[in-house]
């Protein structure tokens, strides 16, 4: 495949546009048919082959404009490089410096762009990943173009104290400035094409593994986008038919009955099916000061997956427990969380009182499909933990999952009653990061698949 189109496809893949091998070959065939001359036709043709959604088309169009903004120079560069290889000779540094000086002074933008493209290829510019590498690759491109020889000539001119030498030095300084700006502009464009998406992915990975308690207000916008990606990923994974056909397991009895009118000849083969429960989640959140930030991210993740979990009910407590479904569904999320924390987050934490309120007002919501998720540190200020109620909830529900933001080493210390609740939980996990929350919700939904 031609290197120019293969690099463009690599840029799309780095920006999370899924391009299969077959689609890449189709793109190469399209380029072979229409060429690079008609830019709008090329753009539309590649978009038809490579972009499969509106979001991917937006990414494709943006990267196309960036990548092919110097397409003529790229083609010229490739031609010049091939000619240079055919000659079998490399240009002397001094001659290269002189030629670059002439190009910069004459204002031959096409020839200068071709030289920049050759230097970009020689320095491996397409491997750029981070913005901090722009300066490095700019200098590498200058060296590839003969910048060291140009610098040596400049130093020689500066050492001679004559008006002619001063004029020559000023000319060389202007040339160096022109080349430096051109190289930096090319490196910045390469970063936008190949590195920007990698940098964003690196930042997302860092945010996903950062302790939620350390998330700052400036990180919230990124975290919301990241949670939306996590929710979409989990939704795609778990959005499937609740009845899944198990091929290879024949239901003999039903097959014979269905074909009784055909003398028992099994024209209509019936396979055994296993009925799957639809997810039903009841989430009880401790919104006291030590846990409130974790609650924000858990609820945002769960309520971003309403298509997968339509039967979702949320409750919040510090001392008394209340349903917060109406608050979350009736307000923008940030405003809803402020209301929840203001109305429920104050007061001394009491898990026993919260479970008593749940028993009195909401126990009817528990059935065999219900997974109860509890997010809290299990610190109840030495109050009665009401294990009798918790045991009853565990007996009625499908399972109970406890997510604890506190490290395992602290479980059972001080007023922590986590070890006393643990025997009634199907799973008790330490959650500190968004990755931990994603893993926990994935495991909950897997139990319904």
């Amino acid at each position: 495949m031609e290197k120019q189109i293969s690099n463009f496809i690599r840029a799309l893949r780095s920006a999370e546009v899924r391009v299969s091998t077959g689609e890449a070959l189709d793109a190469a065939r399209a380029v072979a048919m229409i060429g690079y001359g008609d830019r709008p036709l090329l753009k539309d043709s590649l978009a038809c082959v490579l972009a499969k959604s509106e979001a991917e088309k937006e990414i494709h169009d943006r990267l196309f404009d960036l990548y092919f903004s110097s397409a003529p120079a790229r083609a010229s560069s490739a031609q010049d490089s091939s000619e240079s290889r055919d000659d079998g000779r490399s240009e002397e540094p001094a001659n290269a410096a002189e030629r670059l000086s002439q190009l910069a002074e004459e204002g031959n933008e096409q020839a200068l762009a071709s030289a920049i493209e050759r230097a970009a290829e020689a320095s491996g510019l397409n491997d750029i990943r981070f913005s901090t590498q722009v300066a490095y690759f700019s200098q590498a491109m200058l060296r590839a173009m003969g910048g060291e020889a140009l610098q040596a000539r400049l130093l020689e001119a500066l050492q001679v104290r004559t008006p002619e030498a001063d004029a020559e030095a000023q000319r060389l300084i202007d040339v160096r400035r022109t080349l430096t700006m051109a190289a930096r502009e090319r490196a910045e464009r390469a970063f936008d094409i190949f590195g920007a998406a990698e940098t964003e992915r690196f930042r997302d990975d860092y945010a996903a593994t950062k302790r939620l308690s350390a998330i700052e207000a400036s990180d919230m916008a990124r975290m919301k986008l990241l949670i939306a990606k996590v929710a979409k990923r989990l939704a795609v994974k778990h959005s499937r038919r609740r009845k899944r056909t198990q091929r290879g397991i024949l239901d003999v009895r039903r097959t014979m009955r269905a074909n009784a009118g055909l003398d028992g000849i099994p024209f209509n083969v019936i396979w055994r099916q296993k009925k799957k429960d639809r997810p039903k989640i009841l989430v009880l959140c401790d919104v006291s000061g030590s846990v409130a930030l974790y609650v924000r991210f858990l609820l945002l993740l769960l309520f971003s997956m309403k298509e997968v979990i339509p039967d979702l009910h949320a409750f919040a407590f510090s001392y008394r427990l209340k349903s917060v479904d109406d608050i979350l569904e009736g307000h923008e999320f940030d405003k809803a969380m402020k209301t929840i924390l203001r109305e429920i987050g104050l007061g001394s934490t009491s898990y026993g009182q919260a479970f008593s309120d749940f028993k009195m007002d909401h126990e009817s919501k528990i059935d065999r499909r219900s997974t109860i998720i509890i997010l809290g540190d299990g610190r109840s200020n030495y109050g009665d933990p009401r294990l009798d109620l918790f045991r009853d909830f565990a007996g009625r529900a499908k399972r109970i999952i406890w997510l604890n933001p506190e490290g395992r080493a602290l479980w059972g210390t001080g007023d922590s009653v986590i070890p006393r609740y643990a025997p009634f939980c199907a799973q008790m996990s330490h959650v500190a990061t968004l990755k931990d929350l994603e893993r926990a919700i994935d495991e909950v939904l897997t139990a319904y698949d």
Side-chain angles (χ1 to χ4, degrees):
M1 185 184 299
E2 187 179 343
K3 188 173 182 180
Q4 187 168 343
I5 189 63
S6 65
N7 281 337
F8 177 60
I9 291 173
R10 184 164 67 86
L12 289 174
R13 286 171 173 165
S14 71
E16 299 184 346
V17 175
R18 295 165 297 171
V19 180
S20 67
T21 302
E23 290 166 343
L25 293 174
D26 289 341
R29 294 188 189 100
V31 172
M33 291 179 61
I34 64 178
Y36 294 98
D38 191 335
R39 190 70 54 79
L41 177 60
L42 176 63
K43 183 176 183 179
D44 293 340
S45 300
L46 291 180
C48 291
V49 174
L50 301 174
K52 297 171 287 295
S53 67
E54 286 298 324
E56 289 187 354
K57 189 175 187 306
E58 290 179 5
I59 296 173
H60 169 275
D61 291 348
R62 178 177 61 82
L63 289 179
F64 182 94
D65 293 338
L66 285 170
Y67 184 80
F68 288 98
S69 61
S70 56
R74 291 175 188 271
S76 176
S77 172
Q79 182 178 358
D80 292 346
S81 297
S82 62
E83 291 175 357
S84 176
R85 287 192 295 270
D86 293 339
D87 293 342
R89 298 189 304 271
S90 59
E91 193 172 17
E92 292 293 333
N95 294 337
E98 182 60 34
R99 185 169 61 83
L100 288 174
S101 298
Q102 294 176 356
L103 291 177
E105 289 179 330
E106 294 171 359
N108 190 333
E109 296 182 359
Q110 182 65 41
L112 182 59
S114 296
I116 291 289
E117 290 301 320
R118 289 195 298 272
E121 183 174 354
S123 63
L125 181 60
N126 289 347
D127 294 328
I128 190 171
R129 289 295 176 268
F130 303 103
S131 59
T132 52
Q133 295 176 300
V134 168
Y136 166 79
F137 279 106
S138 298
Q139 292 301 315
M141 291 169 63
L142 285 176
R143 287 194 297 272
M145 289 187 293
E148 292 179 349
L150 188 67
Q151 182 70 14
R153 290 180 55 187
L154 174 59
L155 292 176
E156 291 177 1
L158 290 174
Q159 291 173 357
V160 180
R161 302 292 184 176
T162 64
E164 294 79 6
D166 292 342
E168 175 67 7
Q170 185 59 50
R171 183 184 72 84
L172 294 174
I173 290 173
D174 294 340
V175 169
R176 185 180 63 178
R177 182 184 301 112
T178 299
L179 294 177
T180 300
M181 292 177 62
R184 185 171 184 86
E185 180 183 350
R186 180 65 181 86
E188 289 175 345
R189 188 166 69 251
F191 168 73
D192 290 338
I193 296 169
F194 296 102
E198 289 281 351
T199 299
E200 287 301 306
R201 190 153 45 247
F202 173 81
R203 290 174 177 172
D204 286 348
D205 290 342
Y206 175 75
T209 56
K210 186 176 182 180
R211 290 187 63 87
L212 295 178
S213 58
I215 298 295
E216 301 175 357
S218 58
D219 299 325
M220 289 304 299
R222 177 177 298 276
M223 289 300 295
K224 287 181 179 180
L225 293 175
L226 191 54
I227 287 175
K229 290 181 180 179
V230 170
K232 182 179 180 180
R233 184 160 58 243
L234 291 176
V236 169
K237 181 178 180 179
H238 295 283
S239 292
R240 60 187 66 177
R241 293 172 58 191
R242 304 324 314 165
K243 291 185 178 181
R244 183 173 56 189
T245 302
Q246 295 183 339
R247 290 293 184 184
I249 303 178
L250 179 65
D251 192 327
V252 178
R253 184 176 300 176
R254 293 180 61 198
T255 298
M256 296 302 294
R257 283 202 303 265
N259 294 278
L262 302 172
D263 293 331
I265 301 175
F267 283 102
N268 301 313
V269 179
I270 299 177
W271 304 92
R272 290 183 183 177
Q273 294 179 335
K274 185 178 179 181
K275 186 176 181 180
K276 299 294 182 180
D277 291 331
R278 294 185 63 84
K280 179 179 181 180
I281 293 179
L282 311 176
V283 54
L284 282 63
C285 301
D286 177 358
V287 292
S288 59
S290 58
V291 191
L293 191 58
Y294 294 86
V295 172
R296 175 185 296 271
F297 293 113
L298 175 62
L299 291 180
L300 181 57
L301 176 57
L302 287 174
F303 276 83
S304 297
M305 301 177 61
K306 288 287 285 184
E307 293 183 1
V308 179
I309 318 172
D311 204 350
L312 173 64
H313 305 278
F315 308 88
F317 68 91
S318 56
Y319 183 71
R320 304 303 297 264
L321 179 140
K322 295 182 179 179
S323 172
V324 294
D325 290 342
D326 292 341
I327 298 175
L328 289 168
E329 293 174 357
H331 300 82
E332 187 269 337
F333 185 80
D334 287 337
K335 183 177 180 180
M337 283 304 305
K338 290 180 181 179
T339 302
I340 292 170
L341 295 177
R342 183 178 64 251
E343 295 182 358
I344 308 173
L346 302 177
S348 178
T349 306
S350 174
Y351 280 77
Q353 181 61 53
F355 292 150
S356 178
D357 291 339
F358 189 67
K359 167 81 173 176
M360 293 292 296
D361 301 328
H362 309 289
E363 187 182 32
S364 61
K365 288 187 172 64
I366 305 176
D367 56 32
R368 64 173 184 83
R369 292 193 300 115
S370 304
T371 295
I372 299 176
I373 300 177
I374 299 175
L375 176 61
D377 55 11
R379 295 190 175 275
S380 195
N381 295 303
Y382 300 99
D384 183 358
R386 297 304 304 267
L387 293 177
D388 56 328
L389 298 180
F390 196 77
R391 184 189 304 111
D392 183 52
F393 298 156
R396 292 169 57 89
K398 180 182 181 72
R399 60 209 299 248
I400 295 182
I401 306 297
W402 195 300
L403 308 179
N404 193 339
E406 220 172 41
R408 291 180 180 273
L410 299 176
W411 295 4
T413 63
D415 61 341
S416 172
V417 290
I418 284 293
R420 301 179 66 181
Y421 288 124
F424 308 106
C425 296
Q427 182 178 330
M428 186 168 281
S429 304
H430 170 55
V431 291
T433 67
L434 181 58
K435 285 284 187 184
D436 295 334
L437 285 180
E438 178 182 3
R439 189 180 306 112
I441 300 304
D442 186 25
E443 292 172 353
V444 168
L445 294 177
T446 299
Y448 290 93
D449 290 343

